[in-house]
Amino acid sequence: MKLLRFGPQGQEKPGVIDADGRIRDLSGVIPDIDGAALSDDSLARLRALDLTALHLAPEGVRYGACVGKVGKFLCIGLNYADHAEESGLPIPEEPVLFSKATSCIVGPNDTVLKPRGSTKLDWEVELGIVIGKDAAYVSEEEAEACIAGYCTINDVSERAFQTERGGTWDKGKGCDTFGPIGPWLVTRDEVPDPTDLHMWLKVNGKTFQDGSTATMIFKPAFIVHYVSQFMSLQPGDVISTGTPPGVGLGQKPEPLYLNAGDVMELGIAGLGEQRQVVAQA
């Protein structure tokens, strides 16, 4: 299934994509696409629905973030061997873990705001994991069943804030609008191999990232297992799993960063596409 949230910001309704690619309104069935809706039992009930009996959403409706009420928004850094090489950094022996503020989450096509004082605004197309079951100290074998599905994420980053402002990466990762998620949450049964998905990102029509989840160092099930050794994961938590080469920071002969008016387009095979225009905060 492709689950989503649609409507004005702050008033999103739950929805599902039908066999014809149209949005069907689930608000009479569940209150939201959030942790409570992502259990195996809940997803089984949604799969059994006759979607043709559900109302169609209006044409051209806004997509919200495909997960609501996200408790934790976690990220894995330097998780692609070719991106680590591009960055001139060694391949990590363990996953590099950091957080994005949940207040940065927006819809897949919402405006991205360049923060005040920003000089190094960057892009990162990433595979997102959405948790569907409580996970604490799970094994790698158990972790697969804790994943409800996958989605496309743009891990928007401000590199000067991230690395030049006195410490943790979080300052450059959690600014408002730095977390476009969606358009859909694709349930794991429809993603047979999340480690072999083409992913791409363009800026102003030029392709900068053209990679594959095949070059991930730490795979999704291992990531869920690993993170669960440090903190419990709950349904609706989101983990962004790293980016392939081609970020602005890695451009040669010198880095290239985003400015107001620039347009990002990105996508992952089977998980949908995003488009954001950059504006000054």
Side-chain angles (χ1 to χ4, degrees), residues 216-229:
M216 293 175 77
I217 301 163
F218 305 107
K219 309 304 184 185
F222 179 84
I223 290 170
V224 173
H225 149 70
Y226 181 85
V227 173
S228 79
Q229 310 307 304

PDB file of all heavy atoms in Angstrom, residues 216-229:
ATOM      1  N   MET A 216      24.749   1.482   0.294  1.00  0.00           N
ATOM      2  CA  MET A 216      24.622   1.712   1.729  1.00  0.00           C
ATOM      3  C   MET A 216      25.604   0.813   2.477  1.00  0.00           C
ATOM      4  O   MET A 216      25.777  -0.363   2.131  1.00  0.00           O
ATOM      5  CB  MET A 216      23.206   1.391   2.224  1.00  0.00           C
ATOM      6  CG  MET A 216      22.130   2.320   1.709  1.00  0.00           C
ATOM      7  SD  MET A 216      20.475   1.768   2.219  1.00  0.00           S
ATOM      8  CE  MET A 216      20.463   2.287   3.918  1.00  0.00           C
ATOM      9  N   ILE A 217      26.228   1.356   3.516  1.00  0.00           N
ATOM     10  CA  ILE A 217      27.135   0.579   4.355  1.00  0.00           C
ATOM     11  C   ILE A 217      26.334  -0.267   5.340  1.00  0.00           C
ATOM     12  O   ILE A 217      26.527  -1.478   5.462  1.00  0.00           O
ATOM     13  CB  ILE A 217      28.110   1.516   5.097  1.00  0.00           C
ATOM     14  CG1 ILE A 217      28.933   2.332   4.100  1.00  0.00           C
ATOM     15  CG2 ILE A 217      29.017   0.714   6.036  1.00  0.00           C
ATOM     16  CD1 ILE A 217      29.613   3.543   4.706  1.00  0.00           C
ATOM     17  N   PHE A 218      25.425   0.368   6.051  1.00  0.00           N
ATOM     18  CA  PHE A 218      24.574  -0.304   7.034  1.00  0.00           C
ATOM     19  C   PHE A 218      23.160  -0.356   6.473  1.00  0.00           C
ATOM     20  O   PHE A 218      22.574   0.663   6.136  1.00  0.00           O
ATOM     21  CB  PHE A 218      24.615   0.437   8.374  1.00  0.00           C
ATOM     22  CG  PHE A 218      26.011   0.622   8.916  1.00  0.00           C
ATOM     23  CD1 PHE A 218      26.622   1.866   8.899  1.00  0.00           C
ATOM     24  CD2 PHE A 218      26.723  -0.461   9.412  1.00  0.00           C
ATOM     25  CE1 PHE A 218      27.912   2.039   9.383  1.00  0.00           C
ATOM     26  CE2 PHE A 218      28.019  -0.304   9.898  1.00  0.00           C
ATOM     27  CZ  PHE A 218      28.618   0.950   9.891  1.00  0.00           C
ATOM     28  N   LYS A 219      22.591  -1.563   6.373  1.00  0.00           N
ATOM     29  CA  LYS A 219      21.299  -1.771   5.735  1.00  0.00           C
ATOM     30  C   LYS A 219      20.160  -1.508   6.727  1.00  0.00           C
ATOM     31  O   LYS A 219      20.363  -1.461   7.943  1.00  0.00           O
ATOM     32  CB  LYS A 219      21.224  -3.193   5.185  1.00  0.00           C
ATOM     33  CG  LYS A 219      22.418  -3.596   4.318  1.00  0.00           C
ATOM     34  CD  LYS A 219      22.651  -2.662   3.145  1.00  0.00           C
ATOM     35  CE  LYS A 219      23.805  -3.163   2.261  1.00  0.00           C
ATOM     36  NZ  LYS A 219      24.129  -2.223   1.171  1.00  0.00           N
ATOM     37  N   PRO A 220      18.918  -1.332   6.204  1.00  0.00           N
ATOM     38  CA  PRO A 220      17.809  -0.930   7.078  1.00  0.00           C
ATOM     39  C   PRO A 220      17.602  -1.810   8.308  1.00  0.00           C
ATOM     40  O   PRO A 220      17.448  -1.280   9.421  1.00  0.00           O
ATOM     41  CB  PRO A 220      16.606  -0.962   6.138  1.00  0.00           C
ATOM     42  CG  PRO A 220      17.170  -0.573   4.814  1.00  0.00           C
ATOM     43  CD  PRO A 220      18.511  -1.259   4.780  1.00  0.00           C
ATOM     44  N   ALA A 221      17.557  -3.118   8.159  1.00  0.00           N
ATOM     45  CA  ALA A 221      17.315  -3.975   9.326  1.00  0.00           C
ATOM     46  C   ALA A 221      18.427  -3.829  10.358  1.00  0.00           C
ATOM     47  O   ALA A 221      18.165  -3.783  11.574  1.00  0.00           O
ATOM     48  CB  ALA A 221      17.175  -5.435   8.894  1.00  0.00           C
ATOM     49  N   PHE A 222      19.675  -3.726   9.884  1.00  0.00           N
ATOM     50  CA  PHE A 222      20.776  -3.538  10.829  1.00  0.00           C
ATOM     51  C   PHE A 222      20.648  -2.195  11.545  1.00  0.00           C
ATOM     52  O   PHE A 222      20.907  -2.099  12.751  1.00  0.00           O
ATOM     53  CB  PHE A 222      22.133  -3.619  10.124  1.00  0.00           C
ATOM     54  CG  PHE A 222      23.284  -3.411  11.068  1.00  0.00           C
ATOM     55  CD1 PHE A 222      23.788  -4.473  11.817  1.00  0.00           C
ATOM     56  CD2 PHE A 222      23.842  -2.157  11.243  1.00  0.00           C
ATOM     57  CE1 PHE A 222      24.825  -4.278  12.714  1.00  0.00           C
ATOM     58  CE2 PHE A 222      24.884  -1.948  12.142  1.00  0.00           C
ATOM     59  CZ  PHE A 222      25.373  -3.015  12.879  1.00  0.00           C
ATOM     60  N   ILE A 223      20.241  -1.158  10.813  1.00  0.00           N
ATOM     61  CA  ILE A 223      20.094   0.169  11.428  1.00  0.00           C
ATOM     62  C   ILE A 223      19.063   0.130  12.553  1.00  0.00           C
ATOM     63  O   ILE A 223      19.299   0.657  13.650  1.00  0.00           O
ATOM     64  CB  ILE A 223      19.714   1.208  10.360  1.00  0.00           C
ATOM     65  CG1 ILE A 223      20.914   1.465   9.433  1.00  0.00           C
ATOM     66  CG2 ILE A 223      19.239   2.510  10.999  1.00  0.00           C
ATOM     67  CD1 ILE A 223      20.568   2.282   8.205  1.00  0.00           C
ATOM     68  N   VAL A 224      17.912  -0.494  12.307  1.00  0.00           N
ATOM     69  CA  VAL A 224      16.883  -0.582  13.352  1.00  0.00           C
ATOM     70  C   VAL A 224      17.421  -1.357  14.555  1.00  0.00           C
ATOM     71  O   VAL A 224      17.248  -0.945  15.712  1.00  0.00           O
ATOM     72  CB  VAL A 224      15.603  -1.228  12.794  1.00  0.00           C
ATOM     73  CG1 VAL A 224      14.593  -1.490  13.915  1.00  0.00           C
ATOM     74  CG2 VAL A 224      14.981  -0.328  11.726  1.00  0.00           C
ATOM     75  N   HIS A 225      18.066  -2.481  14.285  1.00  0.00           N
ATOM     76  CA  HIS A 225      18.709  -3.252  15.364  1.00  0.00           C
ATOM     77  C   HIS A 225      19.690  -2.385  16.138  1.00  0.00           C
ATOM     78  O   HIS A 225      19.659  -2.338  17.376  1.00  0.00           O
ATOM     79  CB  HIS A 225      19.428  -4.459  14.756  1.00  0.00           C
ATOM     80  CG  HIS A 225      20.647  -4.888  15.501  1.00  0.00           C
ATOM     81  ND1 HIS A 225      20.602  -5.484  16.744  1.00  0.00           N
ATOM     82  CD2 HIS A 225      21.979  -4.782  15.175  1.00  0.00           C
ATOM     83  CE1 HIS A 225      21.848  -5.736  17.155  1.00  0.00           C
ATOM     84  NE2 HIS A 225      22.686  -5.311  16.232  1.00  0.00           N
ATOM     85  N   TYR A 226      20.561  -1.690  15.438  1.00  0.00           N
ATOM     86  CA  TYR A 226      21.620  -0.905  16.078  1.00  0.00           C
ATOM     87  C   TYR A 226      21.048   0.213  16.944  1.00  0.00           C
ATOM     88  O   TYR A 226      21.412   0.362  18.108  1.00  0.00           O
ATOM     89  CB  TYR A 226      22.537  -0.326  14.996  1.00  0.00           C
ATOM     90  CG  TYR A 226      23.685   0.495  15.544  1.00  0.00           C
ATOM     91  CD1 TYR A 226      24.868  -0.106  15.939  1.00  0.00           C
ATOM     92  CD2 TYR A 226      23.577   1.878  15.647  1.00  0.00           C
ATOM     93  CE1 TYR A 226      25.916   0.646  16.433  1.00  0.00           C
ATOM     94  CE2 TYR A 226      24.617   2.642  16.145  1.00  0.00           C
ATOM     95  CZ  TYR A 226      25.790   2.023  16.548  1.00  0.00           C
ATOM     96  OH  TYR A 226      26.829   2.772  17.043  1.00  0.00           O
ATOM     97  N   VAL A 227      20.134   0.991  16.362  1.00  0.00           N
ATOM     98  CA  VAL A 227      19.561   2.114  17.107  1.00  0.00           C
ATOM     99  C   VAL A 227      18.834   1.621  18.351  1.00  0.00           C
ATOM    100  O   VAL A 227      18.871   2.262  19.414  1.00  0.00           O
ATOM    101  CB  VAL A 227      18.625   2.946  16.208  1.00  0.00           C
ATOM    102  CG1 VAL A 227      17.905   4.013  17.021  1.00  0.00           C
ATOM    103  CG2 VAL A 227      19.416   3.593  15.070  1.00  0.00           C
ATOM    104  N   SER A 228      18.189   0.452  18.243  1.00  0.00           N
ATOM    105  CA  SER A 228      17.409  -0.066  19.378  1.00  0.00           C
ATOM    106  C   SER A 228      18.277  -0.487  20.561  1.00  0.00           C
ATOM    107  O   SER A 228      17.748  -0.736  21.648  1.00  0.00           O
ATOM    108  CB  SER A 228      16.535  -1.245  18.938  1.00  0.00           C
ATOM    109  OG  SER A 228      17.285  -2.455  18.836  1.00  0.00           O
ATOM    110  N   GLN A 229      19.593  -0.547  20.365  1.00  0.00           N
ATOM    111  CA  GLN A 229      20.484  -0.836  21.486  1.00  0.00           C
ATOM    112  C   GLN A 229      20.719   0.407  22.344  1.00  0.00           C
ATOM    113  O   GLN A 229      21.178   0.298  23.492  1.00  0.00           O
ATOM    114  CB  GLN A 229      21.837  -1.356  20.985  1.00  0.00           C
ATOM    115  CG  GLN A 229      21.762  -2.488  19.976  1.00  0.00           C
ATOM    116  CD  GLN A 229      20.927  -3.661  20.444  1.00  0.00           C
ATOM    117  OE1 GLN A 229      21.177  -4.226  21.502  1.00  0.00           O
ATOM    118  NE2 GLN A 229      19.919  -4.032  19.648  1.00  0.00           N
TER     119      GLN A 229
END
